[in-house]
Amino acid sequence: MPQVNSQKSSGSVGKYSTNICFLAAHLALICIAVCCHCATGSNIVVRSLPSLKNGKGIVLTEEVPQVPMTTREVTITTGTTLSLQWDAIPSDVGYVLFQAHSQAFPVIMSYDVKLTPENHINSTNSGLVVLLAPSTVSASVYVYNPHDSDVNVLLVTASYAWPNPIVGGCNMEFDVEIAPYLRVAFNNLKITVDYQRSLEGHRRDTPAAPTCDQSVASLEYTVYQYFMKEKDRSEEEYFRAVQSMLSVQSVEKNAMQIGPMQLGPITRVQFTSNPGQGVVYSVVVRNAYNTSLVSSYVPAVTYGCNLLEDGGTCQIPILPFGWVLSFISAITGLFLCFFEIGRAHV
């Protein structure tokens, strides 16, 4: 009987030693990861772009076919303004959502050829809403390439019948009056996605449109996340992923519904960052009293890094302090491992 107890005790110590070894190795890996994260701060780059010149430059016109949603990949040459126009809009359409997606170089989308502080957005995932008056049969926006090189852009035009929510119609923070797009910020540790509240849909000729206070109680929001192919940062994969997140149906079919990483404002969600991994985010807004009334925000893409830096490799350098800390952690882990193994044999 004493021998049996001795064997059990030895086995327990052996298991305990194995766990210590595992924890020590895990500690070393965590230290390496933390040092990688601390090596650099935010990679967000804010660029000062030139304004559009009224009446100057090249203006091209893209006519949009008469379907609820159209997509088209185009190349906008340097300094070119593209006029995107939709004619003969049916009377049951409440608003038109224009989008422009580019992988690395942001383009400017505006309501007018001449820029003002509140009539345009400068982003790689731009979007503007055109609300339609009772007699309106056409809508248009402008897309401008301010860079010294050509930019490939995915143009999207979607129409929504009047009962559906107006995405970003209760904007309180973003630049334009109606903000259907997401604002994404990142560093090596987390990704932050902000969006603005929507407004209940209404007829074009409604004398008194619903208020934002009324819309707060009736509209529900769901955030979705879609992972792009691992290690594939090609432009083809970028456009494919964006197109899989454009409509409510495609978002709900292809993406994963996710929750916030931590508590915060209802229009902000945060997630852990994995630099180099492409992720597409989108928000679906639905009327809680009539779930068939639903709209989708402009999807936003992030790689958790800046593709214009380091050739788009998204490498995170480890500072000398990180190497030293990792080495000390590894030595400590090995010492604990051998020390516990030695105790197990005593």
Side-chain angles (χ1 to χ4, degrees):
M1 183 66 66
Q3 292 180 353
V4 173
N5 289 336
S6 176
Q7 290 175 355
K8 287 184 178 180
S9 176
S10 177
S12 299
V13 173
K15 292 180 179 179
Y16 177 74
S17 302
T18 303
N19 291 336
I20 288 294
C21 293
F22 174 78
L23 290 175
H26 189 62
L27 176 63
L29 292 176
I30 291 176
C31 290
I32 294 175
V34 169
C35 293
C36 289
H37 288 318
C38 295
T40 58
S42 173
N43 287 328
I44 299 176
V45 177
V46 179
R47 296 174 177 270
S48 177
L49 300 180
S51 299
L52 291 169
K53 297 181 179 179
N54 193 9
K56 298 181 180 180
I58 302 174
V59 178
L60 303 178
T61 300
E62 286 284 339
E63 295 183 356
V64 181
Q66 306 308 308
V67 294
M69 175 177 290
T70 63
T71 61
R72 182 178 301 178
E73 292 183 28
V74 300
T75 299
I76 305 180
T77 57
T78 177
T80 297
T81 301
L82 186 68
S83 173
L84 191 61
Q85 183 167 331
W86 193 336
D87 295 321
I89 300 175
S91 59
D92 64 337
V93 174
Y95 68 93
V96 178
L97 174 58
F98 293 96
Q99 304 179 34
H101 300 274
S102 54
Q103 185 182 28
F105 293 93
V107 295
I108 296 175
M109 176 176 279
S110 67
Y111 287 112
D112 197 292
V113 175
K114 186 176 181 180
L115 294 184
T116 61
E118 298 180 353
N119 78 342
H120 71 280
I121 171 178
N122 172 26
S123 174
T124 53
N125 302 110
S126 303
L128 290 177
V129 165
V130 177
L131 293 179
L132 303 175
S135 59
T136 302
V137 294
S138 65
S140 63
V141 296
Y142 299 88
V143 183
Y144 173 56
N145 173 17
H147 303 284
D148 294 331
S149 59
D150 298 348
V151 178
N152 295 326
V153 179
L154 174 66
L155 299 176
V156 183
T157 307
S159 65
Y160 284 89
W162 65 265
N164 292 289
I166 302 172
V167 287
C170 291
N171 171 39
M172 298 291 290
E173 299 178 11
F174 293 2
D175 296 332
V176 295
E177 182 178 359
I178 301 177
Y181 52 91
L182 310 181
R183 182 178 290 173
V184 179
F186 63 86
N187 55 33
N188 296 328
L189 293 175
K190 65 181 180 180
I191 294 173
T192 302
V193 179
D194 289 299
Y195 63 93
Q196 295 297 290
R197 296 180 186 271
S198 296
L199 180 68
E200 284 187 32
H202 54 273
R203 292 183 181 274
R204 299 191 195 182
D205 55 357
T206 300
T211 66
C212 289
D213 290 336
Q214 294 171 332
S215 300
V216 169
S218 62
L219 298 181
E220 299 177 339
Y221 303 84
T222 307
V223 182
Y224 287 87
Q225 182 183 51
Y226 175 80
F227 288 97
M228 300 166 63
K229 293 180 181 179
E230 189 175 357
K231 298 182 180 180
D232 189 345
R233 292 188 287 274
S234 65
E235 195 171 62
E236 293 77 10
E237 171 63 10
Y238 173 86
F239 286 140
R240 184 202 65 79
V242 170
Q243 292 187 69
S244 67
M245 294 284 283
L246 292 176
S247 67
V248 173
Q249 294 76 15
S250 62
V251 169
E252 294 179 338
K253 175 183 177 182
N254 299 317
M256 176 178 59
Q257 179 180 340
I258 41 83
M261 185 178 70
Q262 61 187 33
L263 296 178
I266 193 171
T267 56
R268 167 174 292 181
V269 287
Q270 294 181 320
F271 316 97
T272 54
S273 177
N274 182 15
Q277 173 62 55
V279 185
V280 187
Y281 295 98
S282 186
V283 177
V284 170
V285 55
R286 177 175 273 104
N287 192 308
Y289 304 112
N290 186 348
T291 56
S292 64
L293 302 181
V294 59
S295 304
S296 179
Y297 282 68
V298 177
V301 179
T302 181
Y303 294 91
C305 61
N306 191 341
L307 294 181
L308 299 180
E309 296 180 353
D310 300 324
T313 59
C314 295
Q315 295 293 331
I316 303 176
I318 302 180
L319 296 177
F321 172 77
W323 288 112
V324 173
L325 182 60
S326 299
F327 177 77
I328 294 175
S329 300
I331 294 299
T332 303
L334 290 174
F335 173 77
L336 291 174
C337 181
F338 286 113
F339 177 76
E340 293 300 329
I341 290 177
R343 289 184 56 186
H345 288 288
V346 175

